[in-house]
Amino acid sequence: MRYEEFKNICFKYFTDEEKQATINLFENYFSDKNMTNYKPTVIHGDLSKNHIIITNDGIGIIDFGDVRIFDPAYDFIWAYLYDEKLFDKIYENYKINKDDFFKYRIKEFYIKRTAYYGIVYADRINDKQLLLSLIHI
């Protein structure tokens, strides 16, 4: 989803202060070369604990419906939100296309951006109760 789409939907519900915080978040991302200076990589796009299968024979990943070429840090959001210690272990062992600002992008943009997806979803399904629980980011 593009920034303009977030604005068009989310700004209907935001105070002026929330609008400004949104503008700052996205504009800081776009203007900070450390945020956009990554090597695009094939990513899962929807990686979560629900898409990782662990058996005695090994580890597998399922559901590749959102595969795309993007920032490899994007696939690590789930681990950071789920368990920071787990994230640190995975991050330590991840060797492909990892740069000095990998964690920074996750913490300072991708995680903060996730709330907007909830608002967009609630708007699309017209769930007022969900919207009320999400709108004050």
Side-chain angles (χ1 to χ4, degrees):
M1 172 167 285
R2 303 236 179 255
Y3 171 51
E4 290 301 320
E5 293 174 274
F6 279 125
K7 280 178 32 179
N8 290 338
I9 293 170
C10 295
F11 279 23
K12 295 186 294 187
Y13 306 104
F14 284 2
T15 64
D16 289 342
E17 186 177 310
E18 291 165 333
K19 289 176 187 177
Q20 190 57 54
T22 301
I23 290 167
N24 292 344
L25 175 68
F26 282 88
E27 289 186 0
N28 288 342
Y29 173 80
F30 294 127
S31 66
D32 184 344
K33 290 181 182 173
N34 296 318
M35 290 292 211
T36 57
N37 192 23
Y38 56 83
K39 184 176 180 184
T41 305
V42 175
I43 66 165
H44 184 276
D46 188 25
L47 199 55
S48 71
K49 64 180 182 161
N50 298 329
H51 295 146
I52 299 172
I53 298 173
I54 301 172
T55 68
N56 291 335
D57 296 325
I59 298 172
I61 298 175
I62 61 170
D63 188 5
F64 288 86
D66 293 313
V67 166
R68 59 184 169 264
I69 297 174
F70 191 53
D71 181 355
Y74 189 81
D75 267 349
F76 289 80
I77 298 167
W78 74 273
Y80 188 84
L81 291 171
Y82 181 68
D83 182 335
E84 200 167 341
K85 288 180 183 179
L86 172 65
F87 168 81
D88 287 339
K89 286 179 184 178
I90 295 169
Y91 178 79
E92 182 180 309
N93 289 292
Y94 182 73
K95 306 294 184 206
I96 305 168
N97 296 330
K98 185 166 66 173
D99 59 77
D100 293 338
F101 295 93
F102 196 94
K103 282 181 169 180
Y104 178 76
R105 289 192 304 275
I106 293 169
K107 291 179 182 181
E108 297 303 319
F109 183 68
Y110 295 130
I111 287 175
K112 293 177 181 178
R113 188 181 74 164
T114 57
Y116 297 94
Y117 284 106
I119 294 166
V120 169
Y121 174 74
D123 179 79
R124 286 186 177 159
I125 65 169
N126 199 28
D127 186 330
K128 303 290 186 207
Q129 187 174 5
L130 180 57
L131 270 168
L132 288 173
S133 72
L134 295 170
I135 57 174
H136 299 291
I137 299 172

